[in-house]
Coordinates of all heavy atoms in Angstrom, one line a residue:
T1 N 0.8 -1.2 0.0 CA 0.0 0.0 0.0 C 0.9 1.2 0.0 O 1.8 1.4 0.8 CB -0.9 0.0 1.2 OG1 -1.7 -1.2 1.3 CG2 -1.9 1.2 1.2
G2 N 0.5 2.2 -0.9 CA 1.3 3.4 -0.9 C 0.5 4.5 -1.6 O -0.5 4.3 -2.2
W3 N 1.1 5.8 -1.5 CA 0.5 7.0 -2.1 C 1.5 7.8 -2.8 O 2.7 7.8 -2.4 CB -0.2 7.8 -1.0 CG -1.4 7.1 -0.3 CD1 -2.7 7.4 -0.6 CD2 -1.4 6.2 0.7 NE1 -3.5 6.6 0.2 CE2 -2.7 5.8 1.0 CE3 -0.4 5.5 1.4 CZ2 -3.1 4.9 2.0 CZ3 -0.7 4.6 2.4 CH2 -2.1 4.3 2.7
I4 N 1.1 8.5 -3.8 CA 1.9 9.5 -4.5 C 1.1 10.8 -4.6 O -0.1 10.7 -5.0 CB 2.3 9.0 -5.9 CG1 3.3 7.8 -5.8 CG2 3.1 10.1 -6.7 CD1 3.6 7.1 -7.1
S5 N 1.7 11.9 -4.4 CA 1.0 13.2 -4.6 C 1.6 14.0 -5.7 O 2.8 13.8 -6.0 CB 1.0 14.0 -3.3 OG 2.4 14.4 -2.9
G6 N 0.8 14.9 -6.3 CA 1.3 15.7 -7.4 C 0.5 17.0 -7.6 O -0.1 17.5 -6.7
D7 N 0.6 17.5 -8.9 CA 0.0 18.8 -9.1 C -1.5 18.7 -9.3 O -2.1 17.6 -9.4 CB 0.6 19.5 -10.3 CG 0.5 18.8 -11.6 OD1 -0.5 18.0 -11.7 OD2 1.3 19.0 -12.5
S8 N -2.2 19.8 -9.3 CA -3.6 19.9 -9.6 C -4.5 19.0 -8.6 O -5.5 18.5 -9.0 CB -3.9 19.5 -11.0 OG -3.2 20.3 -11.9
G9 N -4.0 19.0 -7.3 CA -4.8 18.3 -6.3 C -4.8 16.8 -6.4 O -5.6 16.1 -5.9
I10 N -3.8 16.2 -7.1 CA -3.8 14.7 -7.3 C -3.1 13.9 -6.2 O -2.0 14.3 -5.8 CB -3.2 14.4 -8.7 CG1 -3.5 12.9 -9.1 CG2 -1.7 14.6 -8.7 CD1 -3.1 12.6 -10.5
I11 N -3.8 12.9 -5.8 CA -3.2 11.9 -4.9 C -3.5 10.5 -5.5 O -4.7 10.2 -5.8 CB -3.7 12.0 -3.5 CG1 -3.3 13.3 -2.8 CG2 -3.2 10.8 -2.6 CD1 -3.8 13.4 -1.4
L12 N -2.5 9.7 -5.7 CA -2.7 8.4 -6.3 C -2.4 7.3 -5.2 O -1.6 7.5 -4.3 CB -1.7 8.1 -7.4 CG -1.7 9.0 -8.6 CD1 -0.6 8.7 -9.6 CD2 -3.0 8.9 -9.3
N13 N -3.2 6.2 -5.2 CA -3.1 5.2 -4.2 C -2.9 3.8 -4.9 O -3.6 3.6 -5.9 CB -4.3 5.2 -3.3 CG -4.4 3.9 -2.5 OD1 -5.3 3.2 -2.6 ND2 -3.5 3.8 -1.6
T14 N -2.1 3.0 -4.3 CA -2.0 1.6 -4.8 C -2.2 0.7 -3.6 O -1.8 1.0 -2.5 CB -0.6 1.3 -5.5 OG1 -0.6 0.0 -5.9 CG2 0.5 1.5 -4.5
T15 N -2.8 -0.5 -3.9 CA -2.9 -1.5 -2.8 C -2.4 -2.8 -3.3 O -2.6 -3.9 -2.7 CB -4.4 -1.7 -2.4 OG1 -5.2 -2.0 -3.6 CG2 -4.9 -0.4 -1.8
N16 N -1.6 -2.8 -4.5 CA -1.1 -4.0 -5.0 C 0.4 -3.8 -5.4 O 0.8 -4.2 -6.5 CB -1.9 -4.5 -6.2 CG -2.0 -3.5 -7.3 OD1 -1.3 -2.4 -7.3 ND2 -2.9 -3.7 -8.3
S17 N 1.1 -3.1 -4.5 CA 2.6 -2.9 -4.7 C 2.9 -2.1 -6.0 O 3.9 -2.4 -6.6 CB 3.3 -4.2 -4.7 OG 4.7 -4.1 -4.6
G18 N 2.0 -1.2 -6.4 CA 2.3 -0.3 -7.5 C 2.0 -0.8 -8.9 O 2.3 -0.2 -9.9
L19 N 1.3 -2.0 -9.0 CA 1.0 -2.5 -10.3 C -0.1 -1.6 -10.9 O -0.1 -1.3 -12.1 CB 0.5 -3.9 -10.2 CG 1.5 -5.0 -9.7 CD1 0.8 -6.3 -9.6 CD2 2.7 -5.0 -10.7
T20 N -1.0 -1.1 -10.1 CA -2.0 -0.1 -10.6 C -2.1 1.0 -9.6 O -1.9 0.8 -8.4 CB -3.4 -0.8 -10.8 OG1 -3.8 -1.4 -9.6 CG2 -3.3 -1.9 -11.9
W21 N -2.5 2.2 -10.1 CA -2.7 3.4 -9.2 C -4.1 3.9 -9.5 O -4.5 4.1 -10.6 CB -1.6 4.4 -9.5 CG -0.2 3.9 -9.2 CD1 0.6 3.2 -10.0 CD2 0.4 4.1 -7.9 NE1 1.8 2.9 -9.3 CE2 1.7 3.5 -8.0 CE3 0.1 4.7 -6.7 CZ2 2.6 3.5 -7.0 CZ3 1.0 4.7 -5.7 CH2 2.3 4.1 -5.8
N22 N -4.8 4.3 -8.4 CA -6.1 4.9 -8.5 C -6.1 6.3 -7.9 O -5.4 6.6 -6.9 CB -7.1 4.1 -7.7 CG -7.2 2.7 -8.2 OD1 -7.4 2.5 -9.4 ND2 -7.1 1.7 -7.3
I23 N -6.8 7.2 -8.6 CA -6.8 8.6 -8.2 C -7.8 8.7 -7.0 O -8.9 8.2 -7.1 CB -7.3 9.6 -9.3 CG1 -6.2 9.6 -10.4 CG2 -7.6 10.9 -8.8 CD1 -6.5 10.5 -11.5
Q24 N -7.4 9.4 -5.9 CA -8.3 9.6 -4.8 C -8.9 11.0 -4.9 O -8.2 12.0 -5.2 CB -7.5 9.4 -3.5 CG -7.1 8.0 -3.3 CD -6.5 7.7 -2.0 OE1 -5.9 8.5 -1.3 NE2 -6.7 6.4 -1.5
P25 N -10.2 11.2 -4.6 CA -10.8 12.5 -4.7 C -10.4 13.4 -3.5 O -10.7 13.2 -2.4 CB -12.3 12.2 -4.6 CG -12.4 10.9 -3.8 CD -11.1 10.1 -4.1
T26 N -9.7 14.5 -3.8 CA -9.3 15.5 -2.8 C -10.2 16.7 -2.8 O -10.2 17.5 -1.9 CB -7.8 16.0 -3.0 OG1 -7.7 16.6 -4.3 CG2 -6.9 14.8 -3.0
E27 N -10.8 17.0 -4.0 CA -11.7 18.1 -4.2 C -11.0 19.4 -4.0 O -11.6 20.5 -3.7 CB -12.9 18.1 -3.1 CG -13.7 16.8 -3.2 CD -14.3 16.6 -4.6 OE1 -14.7 17.6 -5.3 OE2 -14.5 15.4 -5.0
I28 N -9.7 19.5 -4.3 CA -9.0 20.7 -4.4 C -8.2 20.8 -5.7 O -8.0 19.7 -6.3 CB -8.0 20.9 -3.2 CG1 -6.8 19.9 -3.3 CG2 -8.7 20.8 -1.9 CD1 -5.8 20.3 -2.3
F29 N -7.8 22.0 -6.1 CA -7.2 22.2 -7.4 C -5.7 22.5 -7.2 O -4.9 22.6 -8.2 CB -7.9 23.2 -8.2 CG -9.3 22.9 -8.5 CD1 -10.3 23.5 -7.7 CD2 -9.7 22.0 -9.5 CE1 -11.7 23.2 -8.0 CE2 -11.0 21.7 -9.7 CZ -12.0 22.3 -9.0
E30 N -5.3 22.8 -6.0 CA -3.9 23.2 -5.8 C -3.0 22.0 -5.8 O -3.4 20.9 -5.6 CB -3.8 24.0 -4.4 CG -4.4 25.3 -4.4 CD -5.9 25.3 -4.3 OE1 -6.5 24.2 -3.8 OE2 -6.6 26.3 -4.6
D31 N -1.7 22.3 -6.0 CA -0.7 21.2 -6.0 C -0.6 20.6 -4.6 O -0.5 21.4 -3.6 CB 0.7 21.7 -6.4 CG 0.7 22.2 -7.9 OD1 -0.3 22.1 -8.6 OD2 1.7 22.8 -8.3

């Protein structure tokens, strides 16, 4: 399990050791 953050309010999450990543809803537009 892990997370990656980036621009435009993006947070990505994986639960399978990085094979796939899903966008999590932050509802903000800032980096």
Side-chain angles (χ1 to χ4, degrees):
T1 305
W3 292 262
I4 295 172
S5 63
D7 63 24
S8 303
I10 194 170
I11 294 179
L12 302 175
N13 166 246
T14 181
T15 56
N16 57 11
S17 194
L19 295 178
T20 59
W21 295 87
N22 300 309
I23 292 179
Q24 296 188 328
T26 62
E27 303 302 327
I28 69 171
F29 300 101
E30 290 77 21
D31 296 353

